[in-house]
Structures are given as structure tokens and as C-alpha cells.
């Protein structure tokens, strides 16, 4: 084999094993649903998404906070979403704290 074909095999093996472990952990996770002040926070392991659902269009300040923490509007889900991982959970907690601190 040429050397360039074997250069990164160990790194790829490690990366794929880590991804398999992450997917197995995600498949055993339970869905989370929390009602807040004018919103619903969800963690949906089946869709692999963290979501914020609002009864109507949220205020500009709220939309800006969601965008600052990398949430995107999903018209198919009618929610603000982000990938369900540790960074997504942390971002969800930060946004929930901001929304709950508002009056």
C-alpha cells in the first residue's frame, strides 16, 4: 500500500469508535420536556435536536439570544433547534436562564 493510504488509519478508527459510542449513548437517552415562562424546552433524542417552542413569534430580544447560542429556526418543526450534544444542552441551559430571568 502507498504510505498516504495508511497515514491516518488509527485516528479514523478512534474517531469512528467515539462516534459509535456517542450514538449508542444518544439512543438510550430519554426525551426531556420543560415548560418555562412562555416557552417549552425539549430534548428529542430521536431527532437528535434541542428545541425551543414558543406559542407565537418570540420578541426580537429572544430571537437574538437564540441566534447568539446558535439556535436556528426550523419551519418544519415550528421550533428553534440545535443539534443534541453537550454543547447544545449547555446552550439550551443558557437560553433558559436568560428567558426565565426576564420579566
Amino acid at each position: 500500500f502507498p504510505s498516504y493510504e495508511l497515514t491516518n488509519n488509527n485516528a479514523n478508527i478512534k474517531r469512528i469508535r467515539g462516534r459509535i459510542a456517542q450514538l449508542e449513548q444518544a439512543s438510550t437517552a430519554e426525551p426531556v420536556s420543560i415548560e418555562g415562562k412562555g416557552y417549552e424546552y425539549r430534548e428529542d433524542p430521536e431527532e437528535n435536536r434541542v428545541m425551543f417552542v414558543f406559542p407565537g413569534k418570540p420578541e426580537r430580544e429572544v430571537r437574538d439570544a437564540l441566534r447568539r447560542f446558535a439556535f436556528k429556526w426550523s419551519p418544519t418543526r415550528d421550533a428553534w433547534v440545535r443539534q443534541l450534544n453537550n454543547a447544545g444542552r449547555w446552550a439550551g441551559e443558557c437560553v433558559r436562564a436568560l428567558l426565565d430571568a426576564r420579566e
Side-chain angles (χ1 to χ4, degrees):
F1 292 99
S3 64
Y4 65 86
E5 287 186 9
L6 303 174
T7 303
N8 208 16
N9 279 351
N10 288 336
N12 282 330
I13 290 169
K14 182 179 178 182
R15 178 184 55 82
I16 290 171
R17 283 185 180 154
R19 179 67 176 144
I20 289 170
Q22 182 185 21
L23 291 172
E24 287 173 348
Q25 182 183 7
S27 69
T28 61
E30 294 294 321
V32 174
S33 182
I34 299 172
E35 292 288 329
K37 292 182 178 180
Y39 69 90
E40 181 182 1
Y41 170 80
R42 292 187 210 156
E43 292 179 7
D44 190 349
E46 192 170 305
E47 288 190 39
N48 197 30
R49 294 287 178 260
V50 175
M51 299 182 214
F52 279 94
V53 180
F54 295 90
K57 185 175 180 178
E59 298 172 7
R60 181 155 189 77
E61 175 185 317
V62 174
R63 294 191 315 261
D64 289 342
L66 288 162
R67 286 188 193 108
R68 192 174 3 179
F69 287 97
F71 282 89
K72 307 285 184 207
W73 172 248
S74 171
T76 57
R77 294 180 185 93
D78 202 27
W80 289 84
V81 299
R82 184 177 165 152
Q83 186 175 6
L84 179 59
N85 54 23
N86 288 338
R89 287 183 183 100
W90 176 81
E93 289 176 18
C94 292
V95 172
R96 283 181 38 219
L98 288 171
L99 294 176
D100 289 340
R102 293 177 16 152
E103 292 193 23

